Amino acid sequence: MVKVKCPSCEYRWIVRPDFDWKACVKCDVPLPSNAMATCVLTSDGEHEKKRMQQRFMRLDRSGDGTLDFDEMSSLLRKGNPHFSDIELWSLYKEIDKNLDGRITFDEFYDYLNCPHKGSNRSGKCTKNAGAPHEWKFGKCVWCGLAEGDQDVPRRRDSITTKNACSDGGKCQFKFSKCTKCGRSEIAVS
């Protein structure tokens, strides 16, 4: 993630990988020819963490220093009103590392800024000009791929010993379903 500051209007924004570096996105004033060096903001980790902590405290309506499920779900539903309760609970459980039913700032910060177990961070995003996926709340902001999923579902090899039918013998597949036992030929691992 690259943050840029316009030298004319001092507007700050995060650039996409396909940004052309010609003009400011707000005031449309041409950027200097060395904009990649002079307009890029260096990340001050401690300052960013303090700003995020202030935002976290504003989200904490109860004032106890943690987010409960209702506080977190109201935040996420502002960004995506189509989040289902199941998706929200799954995300809440993933963020709550110590499983106490509350999300502390450290859990919140670690979730947003650290790689997650089983993440697919090395994959290329098809909707972002082949650049790496950009993860936010467990999904790529460009293509919507869930973090940890593979880009393409894997197909089980049909010539394995797992083709043994529960009715005895080998499965006989027609339209990807066994005609004897009903088991699906396609298995996503």
Side-chain angles (χ1 to χ4, degrees), residues 3-183:
K3 292 184 182 181
V4 177
K5 179 180 174 185
C6 174
S8 301
C9 68
E10 297 192 3
Y11 180 70
R12 297 168 189 230
W13 72 96
I14 298 171
V15 297
R16 292 175 42 153
D18 59 347
F19 181 65
D20 62 8
W21 296 93
K22 291 181 182 174
C24 172
V25 295
K26 184 176 181 188
C27 67
D28 209 30
V29 172
L31 293 173
S33 58
N34 62 346
M36 289 182 92
T38 59
C39 297
V40 173
L41 298 172
T42 57
S43 143
D44 178 13
E46 281 303 311
H47 177 69
E48 288 293 319
K49 191 170 183 175
K50 284 181 183 177
R51 273 189 36 218
M52 190 177 282
Q53 190 165 21
Q54 290 170 348
R55 290 180 186 159
F56 179 86
M57 293 312 207
R58 282 196 302 264
L59 294 171
D60 178 23
R61 292 182 297 214
S62 62
D64 62 354
T66 61
L67 295 181
D68 62 17
F69 177 76
D70 293 332
E71 291 168 335
M72 190 203 73
S73 62
S74 67
L75 160 74
L76 294 176
R77 284 211 167 111
K78 284 179 187 174
N80 183 357
H82 303 292
F83 261 127
S84 71
D85 287 340
I86 293 172
E87 289 174 316
L88 290 171
W89 272 112
S90 298
L91 183 60
Y92 190 78
K93 286 180 184 178
E94 189 175 340
I95 297 172
D96 185 18
K97 294 295 181 196
N98 62 1
L99 305 173
D100 64 351
R102 313 286 296 163
I103 295 176
T104 63
F105 172 71
D106 290 331
E107 290 170 331
F108 184 75
Y109 183 81
D110 289 345
Y111 180 79
L112 293 177
N113 294 296
C114 298
H116 308 298
K117 180 180 176 184
S119 70
N120 186 14
R121 291 186 179 267
S122 61
K124 303 282 186 201
C125 180
T126 56
K127 304 279 185 184
N128 191 13
H133 293 286
E134 290 183 30
W135 304 109
K136 187 165 188 174
F137 301 117
K139 287 191 175 182
C140 176
V141 296
W142 298 104
C143 67
L145 179 71
E147 197 168 14
D149 285 354
Q150 299 298 319
D151 289 323
V152 179
R154 290 178 290 193
R155 216 183 149 126
R156 202 181 324 155
D157 189 7
S158 60
I159 312 173
T160 63
T161 58
K162 293 183 180 177
N163 278 344
C165 189
S166 60
D167 290 350
K170 279 183 105 176
C171 284
Q172 295 175 353
F173 293 104
K174 184 174 183 180
F175 303 112
S176 297
K177 205 165 202 170
C178 177
T179 56
K180 295 198 275 177
C181 68
R183 185 172 63 87

